[in-house]
Each structure stands twice: as C-alpha cells, then as structure tokens.
Amino acid sequence: MSTLTTPHIDVHRAGDRMKTRVAWLDSKHSFSFGEHYDPENTHHGLLLVNNEDVVRPGEGFETHPHRDMEIVTWVLSGSLVHQDSLGHAGVIYPGLAQRMSAGTGILHSEKNDSWHLPPEQGGTGEHDDPVHFVQMWVVPDEPGLEPGYQQLEIDDELAGGGLVTVASGLPRYRDRTAIAINSSHSAMHVARLGLPGQPAVVDLPAAPYLHLFVTEGEVEMEGLGVLYAGDAVRLTRSGGQRITANRPSEMLVWEMHARLGGQ
C-alpha cells in the first residue's frame, strides 16, 4: 500500500538518466534497467521501463524473450520492424500505436527498417537513417495471460490536439482508446502541442500516479517551469496542472491508479 497521501512532484532531467551505449544502440533509461540498477529508482506507479532508444540502420534487437509484461512502443522518427513467435509482424512508425502483451511468454525481435532508394532511382541503396523510439513497460493485472499484439494508426486523432488516449485498460477510456492493455489501472496518453492548427495548452489528468515524458520540443508546466526533450516528471496524488508548449512539442503521459505491490 502506498503511504503517500499528499501531492508530490519529482523532476528527472534528460541528462541524469542511466545510459547504455554500444556500436548500434544509444539507450537512455528513466528507471533501473539491465546492468543499471538503482534501488531508489525502479518504477513509478505501474511503470517499470521508460527507455528512449536510437538504433542504427540495419541493426536492432535480435530475437529475445519477454514474460508477464505489457509493452508499448512509440516511434518518434524512422521505422521499426516487429516480428514475434506468434506470427505477428508489423512496421511501427510515428503516429502508429503498438502494444505487445508478453503474458505466458513470447519471443520477438525489433529492427531498424530505415531504407533509401536504390542507386538506379537516385538513392544510396543503403540503410542510413536511425530509428528513434520510446519503449514503456507496465505491469499487467495478473500473470499468465495469453500473449497478444495490437497496432493502430492514430495520426488523425493526434492532429486534433489535446490528450489522445493511446493505450489503456482503464474502463473510463474504453470507448476512446486506440489499443488495449491488460492493466485496468493504467492509461497512456499522447499530446502534440503548438503545431499549426493545434492548441498549445493541455491539462494533466488527476491520478494517484502520473508520469510525464517530453519526447520533443519544450513545454512549461504550471508551478514547475520549463521541461525539455528527454525530461520527465513523476507526480503522486496530483494532476490538473496546465502544460503549455513554448514551441511545437510532444509528450507522453501515463495515468495510473495503482502502484506496484498495491493501491
């Protein structure tokens, strides 16, 4: 059970994240991940992983297992090919919502799908564009569920501005959620702000746990100050704050009504 009964806000700056860098991958971890372990930074609410990854052309994560986790991937630029042991395959790109439910166990790979025109059509014939994406893991309601996969194009909805509910198991969003997750206490929203024809302001939902992550641009949070790309804010027993874009921006917001280990 959570003992936090008063509002609490933590700001985590982009440059303070743990990092994994190898020849083909530049990964920044908001929470403990892999060899990077901090007992004081393992999760917020039900969110265990918020990794911002850049993968080189022609490279990616080879086939590997997952179990008992709801995994949402959000591409910022480039494209990512998903293939799994249940026969699902798809290309994920900006404006496409994607979810994989690991359940009782699933194997999958994720590869950079960037390409250019072949030389005979005026291109280089090489894969030379990186793919940039955020991958997030939340805990399902119970272990041992059936594995699954879902993706849906939502660019039109995002163009309308405001908070668009991308992935959710919360009953309140059932009729307006792009993809479903097996977590009845969680929802992920995306907002694109300050683009031509879009509002520059949005209000955060109220919830026991919120996680805001700026993927692009620069926004100002009421009562807090300016947030830049890669910055995150963890809110407890809070919400309602106004977010204003200082320039074209995008942010991901997890709304959670429980935490790991209890309400």
Side-chain angles (χ1 to χ4, degrees):
M1 296 285 286
S2 172
T3 58
L4 293 171
T5 58
T6 57
H8 187 73
I9 298 176
D10 279 329
V11 180
H12 293 256
R13 296 296 181 181
D16 295 333
R17 292 174 292 178
M18 295 169 280
K19 302 173 182 66
T20 297
R21 289 197 176 108
V22 294
W24 58 273
L25 171 68
D26 182 355
S27 184
K28 301 179 179 69
H29 318 296
S30 296
F31 302 99
S32 295
F33 189 81
E35 65 182 22
H36 303 286
Y37 180 70
D38 177 357
E40 301 300 317
N41 184 27
T42 58
H43 68 286
H44 181 66
L46 295 169
L47 182 65
L48 274 73
V49 169
N50 188 91
N51 286 348
E52 182 181 359
D53 293 344
V54 177
V55 174
R56 283 182 54 183
E59 304 282 358
F61 298 93
E62 299 292 345
T63 301
H64 58 281
H66 289 285
R67 187 180 183 91
D68 291 328
M69 199 65 62
E70 299 293 296
I71 300 174
V72 177
T73 302
W74 187 254
V75 173
L76 307 179
S77 63
S79 55
L80 191 69
V81 171
H82 164 97
Q83 293 181 310
D84 65 44
S85 54
L86 297 181
H88 303 118
V91 178
I92 317 165
Y93 47 84
L96 184 89
Q98 189 252 29
R99 173 269 298 168
M100 185 181 76
S101 299
T104 54
I106 195 169
L107 299 169
H108 82 138
S109 64
E110 296 162 301
K111 299 291 186 67
N112 186 337
D113 188 46
S114 174
W115 64 277
H116 279 267
L117 293 173
E120 60 270 23
Q121 296 182 36
T124 64
E126 299 177 351
H127 294 247
D128 57 9
D129 286 340
V131 58
H132 184 191
F133 61 96
V134 182
Q135 189 166 93
M136 299 149 282
W137 301 5
V138 292
V139 180
D141 288 337
E142 56 184 291
L145 298 172
E146 182 178 352
Y149 178 87
Q150 188 181 7
Q151 66 178 49
L152 184 68
E153 168 69 61
I154 60 168
D155 227 20
D156 289 345
E157 288 83 352
L158 290 168
L163 282 177
V164 175
T165 307
V166 172
S168 177
L170 282 168
R172 72 184 69 182
Y173 298 121
R174 185 171 291 125
D175 296 333
R176 56 186 180 96
T177 299
I179 53 177
I181 54 176
N182 295 304
S183 178
S184 59
H185 298 288
S186 306
M188 189 196 89
H189 314 283
V190 175
R192 289 179 178 169
L193 302 170
L195 294 169
Q198 290 184 332
V201 174
V202 71
D203 293 333
L204 293 177
Y209 303 95
L210 290 173
H211 185 271
L212 182 157
F213 182 71
V214 181
T215 62
E216 183 180 355
E218 177 186 312
V219 302
E220 189 160 352
M221 181 172 169
E222 180 183 9
L224 184 65
V226 177
L227 302 168
Y228 304 94
D231 288 348
V233 183
R234 303 176 194 180
L235 301 94
T236 304
R237 308 292 179 203
S238 189
Q241 291 89 346
R242 178 153 291 187
I243 307 295
T244 303
N246 294 332
R247 55 190 174 91
S249 303
E250 181 185 85
M251 64 181 190
L252 313 180
V253 178
W254 278 94
E255 172 188 349
M256 297 166 286
H257 294 261
R259 61 167 293 170
L260 190 65
Q263 296 291 328

